[in-house]
Amino acid sequence: MEFLQTPPDPDAYIVLAVFLFSIGAVGFLVRRNAIVMFMCIELMLNAVNLSLVSFGRALSDLSGQILVFFVLVVAAAEVMVGLAILVAIFRRRARASADDMSSLKG
Amino acid sequence: MSVLAQAIPAPQTDYTTIIPELIVLGTGLLIVLMLAIRRFSNIGWYALIAALGFAAAGIVAYVDLWPEVTDGAATYAFSGMVAADGFSTFVVILSCVAGVLAVLLANSYLKREGLDKAEYFALLLFSAAGVQFMAMANNLVMVFLALEILSVCLYVLSAWNRDKFASQEAGMKYLLLGAYTSAIMLFGISFLYGGTGTLNIAALAQFFARNVLENQGLVFLGMALVVVGLAFKIAAVPFHMWAPDVYQGAPAPVVGYMAAAAKIAAFAALFRILFLGLSAMEVDWKPLLWGLAILSMIVGSLLALVQSDVKRMMAYSSISHAGFIAIGVAAASAEGMSGALFYLVTYTFMIAGAFAVIDCIGRKDEQYTKYEDYRGLFAREPLLAAILTFFLFALAGIPGTSGFVAKFVVFEGAAEGGQWALIGIGTVAAVIALFFYLRLIVLMYMQDSTERPDLAETRARVAAGPAVVLAVTVAATVLLGILPQGLLDMAGQAVFAL
């Protein structure tokens, strides 16, 4: 189990995390479906989790990994509220596209 | 030895430092529990409990904690997760005041709209606890958690009006963009952590004092992303896109609270992270705040000129106010910071009062929020028109109101730091802002309303709650405009005891 003892080089993980985060960030801006937008946010949060864990591992420090738990919990709570609002919107309109949500403008 | 094999030390739990938060959270839980056991048919009882909870927390913070924290250094509790100092206690008291005003505003609104569910008050209490923990957060984990406690409650409150699509759309937009920027801020936190090896804000400062930075790019990126995340919450340009839609769609009592609470929380976190944690990087974050302040003031004021909906105009006005408060942070001095604290207090009162009037004039379903509905308001509702005029003047910063003193003290802070360009641009923005407030005022007084029989028939009703809010906020705005010294001293002490 020697590979567990030596902290790995975090660079590769961070590059992957940045890559995943960018997919999520761009996807959020490009896609119009509210549920896909939620998925993109999840992707971003999980990229953050990956980078937190790999930084924590490289630094031999636990606090980064502890933060990951909180991120998971908060992400679940956020999606819950989001889906609840989405269901309320679905009851009125049978679609959940961001283009439909354009009654507010100045 | 692997990190996983180390024993985790049990945290010190000093509950006395978080008594106000425990009261606020406890009251919220009490309301939820009461709802599970037996429902009172009149939600006024829940409103009373919520208001008492806020009042008790505020009084405990002022009587018990304030003399203690302004005497000595900050106390850290829960393994350095929270810090109790003058600054956090000041914000705790302010959030309790904002909470009481929000409860008073909401009670009559919920009854009028037939949305009388007492969970509203529980959410208000939880969100206020989020604000308070954000001010106390001494660890980036706490900053993130408190921000989310606040935000998730605000998303639900924004979407509160089930019968109005605009409200749900506002909640949805707020949530999607809020979660997006939360993720961005978290990525920043992870970079800060990767670059410095700690999430503790006080330890960040120690790290910078001891080390020469290796991963400068990483830490800078982390700091910038955290600032972006918080700039979104205060609705600073260019992260303001959500504000007009949310302000327009969300219920007026929610906006009157949210506009202040979100700003208080995000500025409190900005202060703590930038001043205490990253003070060594002042040259790096100062230009960022400069940019945010200037853009917010100018863009907010200019776009407010072309609005035709009062709630939307107030959104752009709040964006420009965010810019003015950011001047205090950009000054990077104790004076600027206490000025910004004072500004936040005055803003809390002004925005609650203004939205109390907007709520009363909007009537059922908030159907009357357009500029043409305000045409000739003075002829129909002299008192409400006069009060709204007063608040608009206060928001514009006319001498004699607290808005003027607030602008003056942040400019003073900036002047001490020699930031003359910022002051110049701020003055120009304040003049532009005066125009869009005056536009609405002129509409209210000069125009004839004979062509609006639908408005002339029904008088706007001012219920007891909003009436109390109006009385308190007008009194506070006048008082802080004429005799600001007491509060200025308090704000100064709060920063001094940081």
Side-chain angles (χ1 to χ4, degrees):
Chain A
M1 299 293 273
E2 200 183 326
F3 72 99
L4 276 176
Q5 312 289 294
T6 49
D9 178 31
D11 285 2
Y13 297 96
I14 302 305
V15 169
L16 177 62
V18 170
F19 192 63
L20 286 174
F21 190 88
S22 314
I23 295 177
V26 173
F28 180 89
L29 299 174
V30 172
R31 297 297 296 264
R32 301 280 78 188
N33 187 305
I35 292 174
V36 177
M37 288 163 96
F38 271 119
M39 286 161 57
C40 291
I41 290 169
E42 285 298 303
L43 192 59
M44 290 163 77
L45 289 174
N46 282 317
V48 171
N49 287 346
L50 177 62
S51 80
L52 279 172
V53 169
S54 33
F55 276 133
R57 189 89 178 88
L59 294 161
S60 291
D61 185 69
L62 275 183
S63 45
Q65 308 191 20
I66 291 167
L67 178 51
V68 170
F69 285 113
F70 289 111
V71 175
L72 292 176
V73 172
V74 164
E78 230 162 28
V79 167
M80 272 257 297
V81 169
L83 290 182
I85 300 175
L86 211 56
V87 167
I89 292 178
F90 259 120
R91 288 202 180 136
R92 285 164 180 276
R93 324 200 160 178
R95 293 195 310 167
S97 162
D99 295 326
D100 294 339
M101 286 182 248
S102 56
S103 69
L104 298 172
K105 48 174 140 341
Chain B
M1 196 167 68
S2 156
V3 281
L4 298 170
Q6 289 167 12
I8 299 171
Q12 279 184 309
T13 48
D14 183 7
Y15 288 107
T16 49
T17 50
I18 58 164
I19 289 177
E21 291 73 27
L22 289 178
I23 295 175
V24 168
L25 277 177
T27 316
L29 289 174
L30 178 73
I31 290 177
V32 175
L33 278 177
M34 283 169 71
L35 287 170
I37 297 165
R38 178 170 164 268
R39 278 175 188 267
F40 289 112
S41 56
N42 188 344
I43 61 156
W45 291 108
Y46 298 103
L48 183 68
I49 294 170
L52 286 178
F54 276 125
I59 289 168
V60 166
Y62 183 67
V63 174
D64 191 34
L65 290 176
W66 179 254
E68 209 174 297
V69 290
T70 44
D71 270 353
T75 38
Y76 297 101
F78 297 93
S79 304
M81 278 284 166
V82 295
D85 47 29
F87 175 73
S88 68
T89 311
F90 188 91
V91 174
V92 167
I93 299 167
L94 176 57
S95 74
C96 289
V97 173
V100 171
L101 294 176
V103 170
L104 289 173
L105 267 183
N107 190 23
S108 61
Y109 170 87
L110 293 175
K111 282 180 187 158
R112 186 187 70 203
E113 305 286 333
L115 299 163
D116 39 355
K117 297 269 178 288
E119 286 87 350
Y120 185 99
F121 300 113
L123 285 168
L124 265 186
L125 285 155
F126 292 148
S127 72
V131 176
Q132 297 170 358
F133 277 122
M134 201 134 163
M136 299 185 88
N138 186 43
N139 191 301
L140 294 173
V141 179
M142 275 302 289
V143 172
F144 167 67
L145 270 182
L147 182 74
E148 289 302 315
I149 293 172
L150 165 71
S151 304
V152 171
C153 293
L154 289 182
Y155 303 150
V156 182
L157 289 175
S158 301
W160 195 257
N161 197 337
R162 276 181 275 110
D163 308 326
K164 226 174 118 191
F165 182 69
S167 175
Q168 279 154 11
E169 182 184 330
M172 196 71 213
K173 280 183 176 168
Y174 195 13
L175 185 138
L176 279 171
L177 288 168
Y180 186 68
T181 38
S182 286
I184 291 176
M185 189 179 100
L186 262 180
F187 211 33
I189 289 177
S190 91
F191 283 160
L192 275 180
Y193 173 63
T196 63
T198 180
L199 286 165
N200 188 302
I201 293 174
L204 274 179
Q206 288 163 11
F207 173 86
F208 284 109
R210 261 194 260 114
N211 298 286
V212 179
L213 215 49
E214 283 174 42
N215 293 326
Q216 186 134 36
L218 197 63
V219 175
F220 176 78
L221 193 62
M223 180 272 291
L225 292 180
V226 170
V227 170
V228 167
L230 293 172
F232 172 86
K233 293 292 164 199
I234 58 176
V237 179
F239 311 104
H240 66 290
M241 306 78 72
W242 60 278
D245 286 353
V246 173
Y247 279 50
Q248 190 185 353
V254 174
V255 183
Y257 169 73
M258 177 189 75
K263 274 193 187 56
I264 296 167
F267 271 112
L270 264 185
F271 287 149
R272 211 177 268 282
I273 295 174
L274 296 183
F275 275 90
L276 294 187
L278 303 172
S279 53
M281 293 177 71
E282 197 184 300
V283 275
D284 293 320
W285 55 255
K286 233 175 173 175
L288 292 183
L289 280 160
W290 249 74
L292 287 177
I294 290 174
L295 280 175
S296 307
M297 287 187 297
I298 295 293
V299 175
S301 302
L302 283 177
L303 288 179
L305 280 172
V306 296
Q307 300 305 316
S308 61
D309 185 287
V310 175
K311 284 169 89 181
R312 223 178 158 79
M313 181 275 274
M314 290 302 288
Y316 284 105
S317 135
S318 99
I319 291 167
S320 87
H321 281 285
F324 283 108
I325 305 172
I327 292 181
V329 189
S333 65
E335 288 81 14
M337 202 168 139
S338 65
L341 272 184
F342 182 86
Y343 204 121
L344 284 169
V345 177
T346 60
Y347 186 73
T348 304
F349 284 116
M350 290 188 292
I351 201 78
F355 272 94
V357 179
I358 291 171
D359 179 39
C360 293
I361 294 172
R363 290 170 224 185
K364 178 115 177 81
D365 281 343
E366 291 179 58
Q367 47 189 326
Y368 302 118
T369 61
K370 294 262 176 276
Y371 270 31
E372 59 252 42
D373 304 325
Y374 280 70
R375 195 180 286 264
L377 185 75
F378 185 70
R380 298 192 306 271
E381 314 277 357
L383 188 60
L384 280 178
I387 294 174
L388 186 57
T389 309
F390 171 71
F391 281 122
L392 292 176
F393 274 136
L395 286 164
I398 298 293
T401 63
S402 63
F404 172 75
V405 184
K407 282 200 173 63
F408 184 80
V409 286
V410 290
F411 284 166
E412 204 183 14
E416 302 229 349
Q419 314 259 22
W420 296 105
L422 214 49
I423 297 174
I425 295 168
T427 315
V428 172
V431 172
I432 303 172
L434 185 58
F435 270 110
F436 69 75
Y437 294 122
L438 273 177
R439 199 178 142 215
L440 185 58
I441 292 169
V442 167
L443 262 177
M444 289 195 295
Y445 285 89
M446 305 299 175
Q447 312 277 345
D448 183 35
S449 69
T450 44
E451 66 267 32
R452 291 300 297 268
D454 56 328
L455 283 170
E457 272 169 24
T458 57
R459 290 286 303 272
R461 205 173 292 139
V462 186
V468 174
V469 171
L470 286 177
V472 170
T473 50
V474 167
T477 307
V478 172
L479 203 65
L480 292 177
I482 300 167
L483 299 164
Q485 203 52 48
L487 187 66
L488 281 174
D489 289 344
M490 243 184 111
Q493 267 182 311
V495 177
F496 179 72
L498 195 68

